[in-house]
Amino acid sequence: MPSPVPIALDVPLADGRVLRAYDTGPVADAAGGRVLMWHHGSPQTGAPLEPVVAAAAARGIRVISYARPSYGGSSPRPGRDVASAADDAVAVADAFDVDRFASMGASGGGPHALAGAARHPDRVTGVVTLAGIAPFTDRFDWFAGMRSPGGLHAAQQGRAARARFAEVDEFDPEQFLPVDFAALDGAWSDLGADVAKSAAFGDDGLIDDDVAFANPWGFELAEVASPVLVVQGEGDRVVPRTHASWMLAHLPDATLWMRLDDGHVSVLGVVPDAMDWLLAR
């Protein structure tokens, strides 16, 4: 059976901004909690990836998503922090007449998935983070194990410094393991295609993401009361395993799946199992 094609909707907000949002459409049992909000990585367009849509459809799960500010047709939100995603996510859910939903975020989407659970615990039933970065702290070496942390180092100096870094930044293929490239060539080819599409919208979304990650998030992990599944690749060179360990220790209700043979991209292969974990809650 072919995967449903998400419809796009521009969601107007009270502050005058617009968010580009996506919806795979209602399913029969969505009212029973089978709605998943997908939080995209950095950078992407915000459209839910085909493997996510396919796995959700096989489980009767409706998928909604949106492009964070300055990504994929969404308006900028100058000075945004990670916590600001919580209200944006709820506004998107309201636009699609969705009350409660689970959240799943990959890479840069992980912190934003947690934000909704921290700020709106009455709306978010559970969270999965896949290769998600932890809040910045000096209680462990936050940068240790990152192959190319230049963007995050610059982000700590402010947005202007991160924007200057973007002018000279180049992709480092050593960030990825062979299994990551295999995933991009195979089941997760849609991820690479979506990253390429995101280039049309410029660097502002990625710059703002990095500044938000490397500075106070606007909430504490202890505020996330919903159950959280932290999924991490042992060999991840983008977001090291120590980030997952830190989150496991500081989230009130967390489970860790450490994937011994995975990196930053290949870890996404666990998405169907992670959906089953959410459904069991």
Side-chain angles (χ1 to χ4, degrees):
M1 179 181 297
S3 301
V5 177
I7 62 168
L9 175 72
D10 285 339
V11 178
L13 304 178
D15 61 6
R17 292 183 297 120
V18 172
L19 294 175
R20 177 67 52 82
Y22 298 86
D23 180 17
T24 61
V27 295
D29 51 4
R34 292 180 183 264
V35 181
L36 176 71
M37 178 169 287
W38 173 256
H39 292 264
H40 66 84
S42 312
Q44 288 179 245
T45 67
L49 301 173
E50 197 282 332
V52 174
V53 173
R59 290 160 175 78
I61 298 173
R62 176 183 182 180
V63 178
I64 59 177
S65 69
Y66 73 97
R68 289 191 294 279
S70 294
Y71 281 116
S74 290
S75 305
R77 184 171 184 169
R80 65 178 168 95
D81 59 10
V82 173
S84 67
D87 289 344
D88 284 353
V90 165
V92 169
D94 288 346
F96 290 126
D97 294 320
V98 169
D99 182 15
R100 304 188 74 209
F101 54 93
S103 290
M104 183 178 292
S107 189
H112 297 95
L114 291 170
R119 289 293 183 86
H120 296 285
D122 57 324
R123 304 292 295 272
V124 180
T125 60
V127 179
V128 175
T129 72
L130 303 122
I133 200 166
F136 179 77
T137 178
D138 58 7
R139 294 180 63 186
F140 73 95
D141 190 342
W142 195 74
F143 294 102
M146 292 184 186
R147 170 73 189 190
S148 300
L152 291 169
H153 277 299
Q156 287 192 306
Q157 307 306 312
R159 194 185 191 283
R162 179 60 182 85
R164 288 193 297 271
F165 181 83
E167 297 175 359
V168 298
D169 187 23
E170 295 183 358
F171 174 70
D172 178 5
E174 293 299 318
Q175 292 180 96
F176 289 165
L177 304 179
V179 290
D180 293 324
F181 286 111
L184 288 169
D185 288 338
W188 289 90
S189 60
D190 194 40
L191 170 58
D194 192 67
V195 171
K197 290 176 185 176
S198 74
F201 299 95
D203 294 325
D204 285 342
L206 178 58
I207 291 168
D208 290 341
D209 270 358
D210 276 358
V211 173
F213 297 149
N215 288 280
W217 283 11
F219 68 94
E220 301 295 332
L221 293 181
E223 298 175 62
V224 181
S226 303
V228 179
L229 174 61
V230 179
V231 183
Q232 176 70 33
E234 173 79 22
D236 195 330
R237 298 173 181 171
V238 179
V239 177
R241 67 187 303 273
T242 48
H243 285 243
S245 299
W246 179 263
M247 289 194 289
L248 178 67
H250 291 83
L251 288 163
D253 184 2
T255 300
L256 173 63
W257 288 358
M258 186 64 71
R259 308 283 294 181
L260 300 182
D261 298 323
D262 280 326
H264 193 68
V265 178
S266 66
V267 76
L268 295 175
V270 80
V271 161
D273 293 329
M275 289 181 181
D276 291 337
W277 185 92
L278 285 170
L279 289 175
R281 265 98 211 127

